[in-house]
Amino acid sequence: MGASEERDVLARRRFDMADAAPLLLDARMAITSWTADAERLLGYPAAEVLGRRAADLLLPEDAARIPELTEGCGEGSSWTGLMSVRHRDGHTVLLMVRVVPVQHSDGPAHWVVLLADLEGGPGWDMSRSVLERMATRSPVGIAIVDTDLRYVWSNAALEQFGGGPPQQRLGRRLADVQPGLDAERLEAQMRRALETGDPVVAYEHVGRVRSAPHRETAHSLSFIRLEDDHGNPIGVYYTVVDVTERYRARRRLALLDRAGDHIGRSLDVLQTAQELADVAVPGLADLVAVDLLDSVLRGVEPAPGPQDDTDAVPLRRAGHQSVRGGGVPESVVKVGDVARYPAGSPPIRCLADGESWREERLDPLAREWATGALDGRAASFLDLGLHSVMIVPLRARGITLGITSFFRRGRQDPFDEDDLSLAEELVGRAALCVDNARRYTRERDAALVLQRNLLPHRFPEQDAVEVSACYRPADELTGLAGDWFDVIPLSGTRVALVVGEVAGHGIDGAAAMGRLRAAVQTLADLDLPPEEVLAHLDDLVSRAAREEGKGADTLTSGMQAVGASCLYVVYDPVSGECSMAGAGHPAPAIVTPDGTVTFADLPHGPALGVGGLPFESLELTLAEGSVLALHTDGLIATPRTGRDPEAGRERLRRALAGHPQPLEGLCRTIVDDLVPTRPYDDVALLMARTRRLGTEQVATWDLPLDPAVVADARKATTAQLSAWGLDELAFTTELVVSELVTNAIRHASGPIRLRLITEHALICEVSDGGTTAPHLRHPKTTDEGGRGLFLISQFTQRWGTRYTPAGKIIWAEQSLTEPPI
């Protein structure tokens, strides 16, 4: 078939009589009738063309075809094709032409000619055979189904997607040619296009086809309804394109995005390892196990460099996940347990050389490398249902932290190089997060050790108050803060209660706090009044800031202590007297035995190290059973109330009044009520319920300045110890009383008082009106005196001097729980 013949065939198929311009030719092919439509198409008025031969309007090539066409048009037949006609203005117009003979009984035949404009007709020079070759040889799978969704035509490219060659599809439906395929879902899209007429474009189908039963593939399908000349649906035309690589690339990106969102959300090593396993299942693998070096879990720095693959390396299961869920039944090692791998096994080799390893097909009868059992049997890969594996070492900052094992089971595809690259990307991200968590664990453990050494582990034994405390740092990551509290036993059964606060959090604040706490404990041993303790503490902070601030380019702990606050309270259980002084610190709350809550009218002193007015103390007497609540600003300051003291006090007042419960646990209840889990500021609360020593626990004698009274004092002491059942301490106590009373008579002035107190220790006190401090000496062999205080220091646990407005008190303590010396 020639080019002109192919063009004519196409024209016959595309001719539409409704849009044609009719002409009439006589037997000589001269124009005898010319219409307005013909004039519109070719520009000639009727006067110029009537009587002219039709061939005069055609190009020479088409004019030469007229005799052949007229001979081929017999009775009852016609000819349709394309012809090139000269327009009146000289350009060529391609027209679709139909020639129909009209026979007359009384003469020769005439011709009816129908002309139709192709509107850019050169594109229609393609023949049907060209179009068929295009569809048949297209790399895109193409098929046509009828209204019953049965195949009526398909091209060869569709065979690559399964279902056999085109001739085997004819008359069959998709489910018949592709068993196991989700044909119902695809046919639903066909029906949708068939019923609505709306094309379904780029519908993505993911699954396995018969041509690739062991590989998950993705295809993009488009469905378009086919209609006849009257617009009635006659079937569906659809195309199929393999988009597996694009689908897998999209899934890889989505998995990496998910990893970025979900891995490393905390600074917990185990949680980070579990997040890695959770992200990789099921997007990459069916089973994932993360094993870390035991040192990593403890925050210790792993040994640098590769390890010998013959070493027995202690690995611990840090996380795992499975598509089967239910506690990961395939795993022979539980989270937290040691995972023991034999020397030379793939996991140990990967750990040793830091290189990944992949095996597309595992030996089903080989044993799983990790030591364990499944239902009492050796666990083979067949038992576990695993068939493909990747092992990727977790490496961060040049150090190998552990390994991650990825497994596939069932009909999943074996791992390929793209999967290994993705696994290495995931593990690389997770390794940095694990190492950050490890480093944080190390630093936090060190910080907590520091904090435990800075704050009291337990309260010392004393009978003055019942105490309870709660501490909540604002820095929840390190647990470090600048707040502190202390309970310090003093002489004479008294006790010092201390609460302080340093600006800032973290290790700098904790270091500054530690220095202040140590200084307060040292000053407390001097038995100074509260205002003098704070005065000395203020001097220490100011001096340290001046010394450390010279040429310093960083904020040292001494400088950070400037502006710190402190509250120092001394309570005497014998008299019930309480004295307190504050340095820029809120006053304590006082809860009376009847539940009334007030706040001490504490004179406001300046913060430490800033200078200003001198410190003043407040003296008051507390009834037995009263509760002192010493606290830092964080307890009463919130983002809502800020530093408004009245609002904070009112909240604390309601909290204290609303919990008439035992002191044990009350501190935590109060803090939980007033402070969120992540507090606005560091919080320290120290609560103390006062006690009173009974009169039977205290014995007092006023003594004259007469040497003869020493013997009477010894006798009175012996009798009192016998009444208390402490006869075993009589000898040492007589010695202490004799020495202290004798020294008072010889070297002091004013009234002398002897007092014995028994609680957890036996306390002997001698007071006088002098201000001269006694000194412990080490006498020579030939010295006749000076051994009194030396003997006291040897026979008692503690001794010392404290000053009062009327003079001084020398005291000594003997333990009631330890055997006498």
Side-chain angles (χ1 to χ4, degrees):
M1 181 182 294
S4 61
E5 294 177 348
E6 292 180 356
R7 187 177 65 176
D8 294 341
V9 171
L10 178 61
R12 286 193 294 271
R13 287 182 171 272
R14 299 293 300 173
F15 194 81
D16 188 351
M17 293 181 63
D19 298 326
L23 301 178
L24 184 61
L25 305 180
D26 61 15
R28 295 181 302 106
M29 300 298 290
I31 302 173
T32 60
S33 174
W34 188 260
T35 64
D37 288 334
E39 183 178 348
R40 175 181 56 79
L41 285 176
L42 299 176
Y44 296 100
E48 292 185 15
V49 295
L50 288 176
R52 294 179 60 182
R53 294 173 57 86
D56 295 340
L57 302 181
L58 300 176
L59 294 182
E61 179 183 352
D62 285 339
R65 298 171 60 196
I66 289 182
E68 179 185 349
L69 297 180
T70 56
E71 291 176 3
C73 290
E75 185 177 356
S77 64
S78 64
W79 176 88
T80 303
L82 296 175
M83 286 190 171
S84 299
V85 182
R86 288 192 182 91
H87 194 275
R88 186 172 183 269
D89 61 13
H91 76 274
T92 302
V93 179
L94 184 64
L95 296 178
M96 188 179 296
V97 179
R98 174 172 291 183
V99 180
V100 181
V102 180
Q103 298 293 334
H104 291 275
S105 58
D106 58 349
H110 287 62
W111 309 91
V112 175
V113 179
L114 303 176
L115 306 177
D117 188 3
L118 286 181
E119 297 181 352
W124 288 103
D125 285 344
M126 290 189 301
S127 65
R128 175 179 178 180
S129 61
V130 172
L131 295 175
E132 287 179 344
R133 282 196 298 270
M134 287 176 57
T136 302
R137 297 178 183 178
S138 170
V140 177
I142 304 173
I144 298 175
V145 297
D146 61 16
T147 54
D148 293 327
L149 307 184
R150 297 183 182 278
Y151 285 98
V152 297
W153 181 86
S154 62
N155 67 349
L158 194 64
E159 187 176 350
Q160 66 181 301
F161 304 107
Q167 59 271 21
Q168 293 183 9
R169 294 174 179 267
L170 294 177
R172 305 172 68 188
R173 292 177 57 163
L174 185 58
D176 301 328
V177 299
Q178 287 275 55
L181 188 69
D182 190 3
E184 184 176 346
R185 206 151 46 102
L186 295 177
E187 288 189 348
Q189 301 304 316
M190 296 181 191
R191 290 193 182 91
R192 174 184 165 190
L194 195 62
E195 293 170 0
T196 65
D198 297 328
V200 178
V201 179
Y203 176 80
E204 192 170 90
H205 174 266
V206 180
R208 286 178 170 80
V209 296
R210 295 183 66 181
S211 58
H214 300 295
R215 179 174 180 266
E216 188 177 62
T217 55
H219 301 101
S220 177
L221 299 94
S222 296
F223 304 91
I224 302 171
R225 185 171 78 177
L226 295 176
E227 301 173 349
D228 61 15
D229 291 341
H230 302 289
N232 298 317
I234 59 174
V236 173
Y237 160 88
Y238 74 86
T239 60
V240 185
V241 179
D242 190 332
V243 293
T244 301
E245 292 306 316
R246 186 176 68 190
Y247 168 76
R248 297 186 70 183
R250 191 170 69 243
R251 287 189 60 183
R252 285 193 291 268
L253 289 175
L255 190 61
L256 291 175
D257 286 343
R258 185 165 180 261
D261 293 337
H262 291 82
I263 297 177
R265 293 178 296 179
S266 72
L267 287 173
D268 182 88
V269 174
L270 287 176
Q271 183 174 338
T272 303
Q274 186 60 50
E275 288 167 351
L276 169 59
D278 292 341
V279 165
V281 174
L284 178 59
D286 296 324
L287 170 66
V288 174
V290 183
D291 299 319
L292 299 177
L293 293 171
D294 193 58
S295 58
V296 173
L297 296 176
R298 293 183 284 108
V300 179
E301 190 81 12
Q307 305 181 51
D308 190 340
D309 64 1
T310 62
D311 292 344
V313 182
L315 288 169
R316 195 172 292 275
R317 180 60 49 84
H320 57 199
Q321 188 55 271
S322 167
V323 292
R324 297 175 63 183
V328 190
E330 304 100 318
S331 177
V332 297
V333 180
K334 304 303 179 185
V335 172
D337 291 349
V338 174
R340 294 181 175 86
Y341 294 99
S345 63
I348 297 300
R349 290 202 304 270
C350 291
L351 190 67
D353 59 27
E355 299 293 333
S356 301
W357 180 78
R358 176 177 64 93
E359 186 69 27
E360 288 190 4
R361 293 295 177 187
L362 287 165
D363 180 358
L365 300 181
R367 292 183 58 186
E368 215 273 44
W369 302 296
T371 302
L374 182 66
D375 299 331
R377 298 177 286 113
S380 68
F381 291 115
L382 181 61
D383 294 326
L384 302 174
L386 307 175
H387 68 80
S388 188
V389 65
M390 298 184 298
I391 301 177
V392 180
L394 283 98
R395 289 182 56 81
R397 302 178 177 97
I399 296 175
T400 301
L401 308 173
I403 57 172
T404 304
S405 302
F406 301 83
F407 294 93
R408 280 183 177 168
R409 63 188 307 275
R411 294 187 59 190
Q412 272 272 46
D413 311 335
F415 290 116
D416 57 21
E417 284 297 330
D418 288 340
D419 293 324
L420 183 60
S421 297
L422 178 58
E424 289 175 337
E425 178 74 16
L426 285 177
V427 173
R429 294 188 180 191
L432 283 175
C433 296
V434 168
D435 194 49
N436 289 339
R438 176 193 64 80
R439 289 166 176 255
Y440 163 72
T441 299
R442 181 187 63 189
E443 299 301 326
R444 186 174 187 272
D445 288 346
L448 290 178
V449 169
L450 172 64
Q451 187 75 13
R452 285 193 293 268
N453 283 279
L454 293 177
L455 291 176
H457 295 264
R458 56 185 178 86
F459 295 117
E461 293 183 5
Q462 46 81 34
D463 291 335
V465 290
E466 174 194 358
V467 290
S468 179
C470 183
Y471 177 82
R472 182 169 294 175
D475 188 347
E476 63 175 352
L477 293 181
T478 65
L480 293 175
D483 293 7
W484 89 93
F485 57 87
D486 230 332
V487 177
I488 307 173
L490 302 176
S491 63
T493 71
R494 297 169 308 128
V495 65
L497 306 173
V498 188
V499 168
E501 179 176 4
V502 174
H505 314 294
I507 197 165
D508 292 333
M513 174 268 285
R515 294 184 64 169
L516 286 183
R517 180 173 179 250
V520 170
Q521 289 178 328
T522 301
L523 293 171
D525 284 342
L526 300 177
D527 258 333
L528 299 173
E531 67 275 16
E532 293 188 27
V533 170
L534 294 183
H536 285 292
L537 191 62
D538 182 69
D539 290 339
L540 288 173
V541 171
S542 298
R543 183 167 62 252
R546 287 195 301 269
E547 293 175 354
E548 296 178 357
K550 295 177 180 179
D553 56 0
T554 58
L555 186 63
T556 62
S557 59
M559 296 177 66
Q560 192 158 352
V562 174
S565 66
C566 183
L567 175 64
Y568 190 87
V569 178
V570 175
Y571 173 70
D572 188 345
V574 176
S575 63
E577 293 179 354
C578 179
S579 61
M580 63 183 71
H585 203 87
I590 302 174
V591 184
T592 61
D594 63 2
T596 303
V597 181
T598 60
F599 289 88
D601 188 15
L602 182 68
H604 183 74
L608 298 174
V610 300
L613 298 175
F615 299 99
E616 298 182 43
S617 64
L618 171 68
E619 308 285 341
L620 65 160
T621 300
L622 299 178
E624 184 175 12
S626 299
V627 174
L628 283 166
L630 290 72
H631 59 86
T632 56
D633 276 343
L635 186 68
I636 57 176
T638 66
R640 181 167 52 85
T641 62
R643 298 285 177 176
D644 183 357
E646 291 305 320
R649 282 186 177 186
E650 185 57 34
R651 294 175 65 245
L652 178 58
R653 186 197 311 276
R654 291 195 300 268
L656 290 170
H659 295 287
Q661 63 186 68
L663 195 63
E664 183 178 359
L666 180 58
C667 268
R668 184 163 298 278
T669 301
I670 296 296
V671 171
D672 288 342
D673 283 354
L674 300 183
V675 180
T677 304
R678 300 181 62 180
Y680 173 70
D681 194 5
D682 302 326
V683 176
L685 174 63
L686 175 65
M687 301 187 72
R689 179 173 281 120
T690 61
R691 295 170 176 160
R692 284 287 189 93
L693 296 184
T695 55
E696 70 281 359
Q697 293 179 271
V698 182
T700 304
W701 298 272
D702 291 322
L703 305 177
L705 289 173
D706 184 355
V709 80
V710 176
D712 295 335
R714 287 199 300 267
K715 291 178 183 179
T717 297
T718 303
Q720 187 61 57
L721 293 181
S722 178
W724 284 341
L726 300 176
D727 295 304
E728 70 276 9
L729 298 180
F731 175 76
T732 55
T733 306
E734 283 187 38
L735 176 64
V736 170
V737 169
S738 178
E739 180 61 30
L740 295 182
V741 172
T742 299
N743 284 344
I745 293 173
R746 287 181 178 178
H747 305 292
S749 61
I752 299 174
R753 173 173 291 181
L754 169 64
R755 186 168 72 166
L756 298 179
I757 303 173
T758 177
E759 46 156 17
H760 68 282
L762 176 63
I763 302 171
C764 177
E765 296 180 344
V766 174
S767 60
D768 59 52
T771 58
T772 303
H775 298 285
L776 177 66
R777 294 190 299 163
H778 296 275
K780 299 178 182 178
T781 305
T782 57
D783 290 346
E784 296 182 359
R787 295 180 175 83
L789 289 181
F790 176 77
L791 292 175
I792 290 175
S793 68
Q794 297 299 307
F795 290 148
T796 61
Q797 275 69 40
R798 296 197 309 157
W799 75 278
T801 303
R802 71 175 182 269
Y803 294 90
T804 66
K808 68 176 182 296
I809 298 174
I810 304 175
W811 54 269
E813 285 187 11
Q814 299 176 75
S815 174
L816 298 182
T817 58
E818 299 178 7
I821 298 176

